[in-house]
Amino acid sequence: MDSERLKRQIDFIVEIDKLKHIYRQTILMDGSRNENDAEHSWHLAVMAVLLSEYAAEKNIDVLRVIKMVLIHDLVEIDAGDTFCYDEKGNEDKACREQKAADRIFNILPPDQAKEIHDLWEEFEKRETSEARFAASLDRLQPLLHNYNTKGHTWVKHNVKSDKVLKRNQPIEEGAPVLWEYVKEIIEDSISKGYLQR
C-alpha cells in the first residue's frame, strides 16, 4: 500500500468537508435555511442521473457529468460562493477560483489532482456536451428553488425576469427540452408575482 497516496486522498476528503459550511443565496425549498454547496452538488448529481435523457446530445457520459457537478464548487471552500447576480463579486471570481483550484486539488496525488482539475476546467469552459449539460443542471436547480419558494432570492435581491432569462440561457445549448420548461417556469413566476419584468 502506498501510504503517502492514501494520506493525500484522506487529507482531500477531510478538506472538502468544509464545503458543507459554504452557504448559497438559495434557500431550501421548505424555506427553513440557506442551502450549502455540498447539498447543491448532491442535488445536481441526482438530477444528472434522472434528467440525462434531456441532454442536447444523446449518449453523454453521465458519470463524467456526475463527477463535474460533484467537484465544480469545491473551489468555493477558499473563494466563497459568489452570487450569480452580483456584478461586483463576479469581477474577480475567476481569479479567486483558479487560486483555490490550485491549492485544493493539489492536496490529492498528482494523477487525481490533474483529473479533478481537468474536470473543473471542462465544466467552467462548457466546450463539451457533458460540460454543457452539467452547466444546464447548475442553472436549473436554483431556478427550481426560487420557483418553489415563491421567488425568495429573486425578491430579496430585486432580480428581474430579463436577468433570470439571461442567466439561464445556457440551458438551451445543454438541454433544449429543459430550456423550454425553464421558460414556462419563468413566465409562471411572473404571472404569480414571484418575479418582476
Side-chain angles (χ1 to χ4, degrees), residues 146 149-159 193-196:
N146 266 299
T149 59
K150 299 182 179 179
H152 175 272
T153 306
W154 297 330
V155 172
K156 180 179 178 183
H157 295 281
N158 196 31
V159 177
Y194 305 165
L195 184 59
Q196 302 301 311

Side-chain angles (χ1 to χ4, degrees), residues 55-148:
E57 295 181 36
K58 300 307 168 204
N59 302 316
I60 60 166
D61 183 343
V62 177
L63 179 57
R64 189 169 190 82
V65 174
I66 291 169
K67 287 179 179 181
M68 271 189 246
V69 298
L70 287 174
I71 62 95
H72 81 290
D73 276 345
L74 292 179
V75 295
E76 294 184 2
I77 290 168
D78 288 357
D81 177 61
T82 305
F83 184 45
C84 62
Y85 299 108
D86 177 1
E87 292 176 17
K88 180 77 174 154
N90 278 286
E91 288 175 4
D92 67 343
K93 177 185 174 190
C95 182
R96 285 183 286 115
E97 290 189 348
Q98 184 60 62
K99 185 177 175 183
D102 292 342
R103 183 193 76 78
I104 296 164
F105 301 153
N106 283 311
I107 293 170
L108 284 164
D111 62 314
Q112 289 182 321
K114 181 179 181 341
E115 178 190 8
I116 298 297
H117 199 282
D118 289 352
L119 283 166
W120 176 73
E121 283 190 346
E122 181 180 346
F123 176 86
E124 291 296 313
K125 291 178 181 176
R126 296 195 325 247
E127 293 175 349
T128 65
S129 54
E130 286 81 9
R132 287 188 290 272
F133 182 62
S136 297
L137 299 176
D138 189 40
R139 283 168 169 72
L140 175 61
Q141 191 257 3
L143 184 103
L144 294 174
H145 277 257
N146 266 299
Y147 183 68
N148 285 282

Side-chain angles (χ1 to χ4, degrees), residues 38-54 62 65-70 133 137-138 140-141 144 178:
E39 293 165 330
H40 167 69
S41 297
W42 160 81
H43 217 171
L44 295 183
V46 174
M47 290 170 67
V49 172
L50 298 178
L51 302 178
S52 62
E53 66 193 82
Y54 303 108
V62 177
V65 174
I66 291 169
K67 287 179 179 181
M68 271 189 246
V69 298
L70 287 174
F133 182 62
L137 299 176
D138 189 40
L140 175 61
Q141 191 257 3
L144 294 174
L178 296 180

